[in-house]
Amino acid sequence: MTASMWNDAAARISKPLERVLYLVQVSYHARPHVADLRPFHPRLTHRMSNLPTLLLVAAAGLATASADVYHLDPQNGSDSADGLSPAHAWRSLEKANATVLKPGDQLLFKAGGRWSGQLKPKGGGNSTSRVRIGRYGDGPLPRIDGEGKHPDTVLLQNISFVEMTDLEVTNLGPKTAPWRTGVRILADAGKMQRVYLRRLFVHDVNGDLRKSHEGCGIFFEVKGSNDPHFDGLLIEQCRVERTDRNGICQKATGKARSVNVVIRGNTLEDIGGDGIKLWGTNGGIIERNVVRKARARCGKDEAAAGIWPFACDDTLIQFNEVSGTIGTKDGQGYDSDYWCRRSVFQYNYSFQNEGGFMLICSPGKAVNEDTVIRYNISVHDGINSARVFHFGGGATRTHVYNNTVVLAPHQDLPMLLFTQWDKGRAADSRFSNNLFIVEEGGRASYDFGPSVGNVFEKNVFCGRHEGLPAKTGISPAPNLAGSVKPSPGLDSLHALRPADAKTFPRGIFIRNNGGRDFFGNPLQANQPPMVGAFEK
């Protein structure tokens, strides 16, 4: 083919390709874990080597060009219309549920509209073209009410490559019901890939408060045969309020572990039980979330905590804020639970959680190995019948370092409590470079119970501490920038910064320490870090 023939071909198809490539770019501009698709225009050169690229681009363009955009309007729509424009919108959820969505399709709900029933989309996208479910127009979020008539207001079952954004979801019935959810993502027929939830408002879901029948705001579940699991699940910038039992939680049965699961930037308030929980995921990330008032309605014997993994390896929990968790069963802001290995809790803020700051636990016949708890801040965690750190059972090789923990004048409780669980006892726990402050009038005690192999190195204990290990002394209060008053956000925590780097105590070098402090300051390679969560 000559150069002139190539140019003629380019002239004939450049505008259609430009259009479809633009649509591809718009559809994928927020796609996580995938290279950014920048705006570009199709250009054909004189080189024959560009033919494979041209054919690939043309194929993607044809797929996107055949996609449909469906609209729903609960007042002015009609299910006899084609749904392909706001003027010819559908009306009902039943019409939407009966439509098989194909790659590139969009299902859009009118802003300010309200529907009663269940949304259960069919079909799905593919690796190059997602299905999008969201809104059109200006105004409040479109609202879907389950009204307690459906177990799930939104059910995404075995549907891959789908993104759901900008919807309001409730499921409030006349009385509680087992397993009731706002949004359920269910994989029970193999791998479910790249499901993204963004900017949803899920609230008022009165599910069962019993862990054995737990309801949830956003619930993602794996069950069945064929090794079902998630590969690519993102829950981001959602609001979850007044949901029972849990906020954003996973449940898994079977041997396959989910991967590429990220829970990021969500705000949860007034949650009946657990705030955020991963179950059966490897390499999961829980970051930049805010959880307020978890375990708000659980019974006295129902254990729940703010953020925690169960049966997960290599979980990263960072940059979160948890406060106001109610009760002492468990009631902590954070929990490293059993059947977990190499969990990392870093750069988190915890304050005024009644059950304390951290639970690290495992019954005797299970495992919890190599948890790292570093560069976190705990302020006034634990009522007097609780504890700040609770090592329950047989966790091994937990390393707690460079954390700052502050007890208030009215607090009188264990800073560290070790207990046995099903014959399990903690072993080889290490505490390094931590700053433990008890304000005047308060008291911290230490109960090591049946634990063995505890190591303390270069920690600083200020105020009244009783029951410390031998050769561990009390230090004068370090020179801090001010006194801390716990409150939402990070502004109050600047008071815990060292006022004078030259005189502030330093700890020991720790390998693979994350490279930064709580506020992002780099750790120095030529000198040991300061104790606590800040590096001047």
Side-chain angles (χ1 to χ4, degrees), residues 152-470:
D152 320 293
T153 300
V154 176
L155 176 58
L156 302 177
Q157 183 173 9
N158 302 318
I159 177 172
S160 291
F161 303 102
V162 60
E163 179 178 10
M164 178 176 287
T165 63
D166 302 309
L167 297 177
E168 181 179 355
V169 177
T170 75
N171 201 359
L172 186 64
K175 60 181 181 179
T176 62
W179 306 112
R180 179 176 290 158
T181 78
V183 178
R184 183 189 298 265
I185 310 166
L186 175 59
D188 62 359
K191 181 165 63 174
M192 192 168 170
Q193 301 180 75
R194 295 184 189 172
V195 178
Y196 306 142
L197 306 186
R198 290 191 176 96
R199 301 184 301 278
L200 303 183
F201 179 28
V202 181
H203 63 96
D204 296 296
V205 178
N206 59 335
D208 202 306
L209 284 165
R210 295 171 295 172
K211 188 184 287 286
S212 59
H213 298 77
E214 58 191 5
C216 197
I218 300 175
F219 188 59
F220 50 109
E221 183 180 14
V222 170
K223 65 180 182 179
S225 57
N226 299 321
D227 290 331
H229 64 283
F230 298 105
D231 183 355
L233 174 64
L234 172 69
I235 302 173
E236 184 175 47
Q237 296 179 354
C238 296
R239 290 167 55 201
V240 181
E241 298 177 3
R242 299 180 299 279
T243 63
D244 291 339
R245 178 183 187 265
N246 304 323
I248 300 175
C249 284
Q250 178 183 15
K251 183 176 182 180
T253 57
K255 297 181 179 180
R257 294 280 181 95
S258 295
V259 293
N260 299 316
V261 176
V262 179
I263 303 175
R264 175 190 295 135
N266 305 285
T267 300
L268 295 81
E269 297 190 67
D270 195 4
I271 306 301
D274 294 307
I276 300 174
K277 175 176 65 179
L278 286 183
W279 178 345
T281 286
N282 285 349
I285 299 175
I286 304 175
E287 64 180 7
R288 302 189 185 280
N289 303 283
V290 175
V291 179
R292 300 189 181 109
K293 196 181 176 183
R295 206 188 172 281
R297 286 171 291 280
C298 273
K300 65 178 182 178
D301 295 324
E302 282 283 329
I307 297 177
W308 57 289
F310 173 78
C312 298
D313 292 342
D314 303 299
T315 307
L316 180 61
I317 297 174
Q318 61 180 3
F319 306 116
N320 301 287
E321 175 184 313
V322 181
S323 64
T325 306
I326 293 175
T328 60
K329 181 80 180 187
D330 299 312
Q332 290 90 350
Y334 303 86
D335 166 20
S336 175
D337 220 283
Y338 63 99
W339 295 126
C340 289
R341 297 172 176 85
R342 298 176 300 278
S343 302
V344 175
F345 295 77
Q346 61 183 12
Y347 320 125
N348 299 292
Y349 177 30
S350 177
F351 69 96
Q352 295 178 333
N353 295 289
E354 290 186 358
F357 167 41
M358 279 292 320
L359 171 64
I360 308 97
C361 66
S362 177
K365 295 181 180 180
V367 298
N368 181 335
E369 298 175 343
D370 301 305
T371 297
V372 171
I373 303 166
R374 65 187 181 195
Y375 286 98
N376 304 285
I377 296 178
S378 166
V379 180
H380 301 178
D381 278 325
I383 60 176
N384 289 346
S385 59
R387 57 285 177 206
V388 181
F389 289 84
H390 185 187
F391 288 75
T396 57
R397 298 186 302 276
T398 303
H399 197 178
V400 180
Y401 66 90
N402 283 102
N403 301 281
T404 296
V405 181
V406 181
L407 295 189
H410 65 272
Q411 289 182 276
D412 183 355
L413 75 165
M415 180 73 76
L416 301 179
L417 174 64
F418 291 78
T419 59
Q420 185 169 289
W421 182 12
D422 192 24
K423 299 183 180 180
R425 60 179 184 173
D428 302 322
S429 304
R430 182 176 294 269
F431 301 85
S432 313
N433 302 350
N434 299 289
L435 176 57
F436 297 106
I437 300 173
V438 179
E439 296 175 334
E440 186 175 356
R443 183 178 75 105
S445 58
Y446 296 80
D447 183 348
F448 296 100
S451 63
V452 295
N454 299 307
V455 174
F456 288 79
E457 48 195 3
K458 290 292 185 175
N459 302 284
V460 172
F461 300 88
C462 307
R464 186 180 176 187
H465 297 262
E466 296 182 359
L468 285 168

Side-chain angles (χ1 to χ4, degrees), residues 61-74:
L62 288 173
T64 306
S66 65
D68 293 308
V69 180
Y70 300 110
H71 303 76
L72 279 85
D73 183 335

Side-chain angles (χ1 to χ4, degrees), residues 91-103:
R91 185 182 186 91
S92 72
L93 294 173
E94 289 76 14
K95 180 65 174 179
N97 293 341
T99 302
V100 178
L101 301 173
K102 59 187 180 299

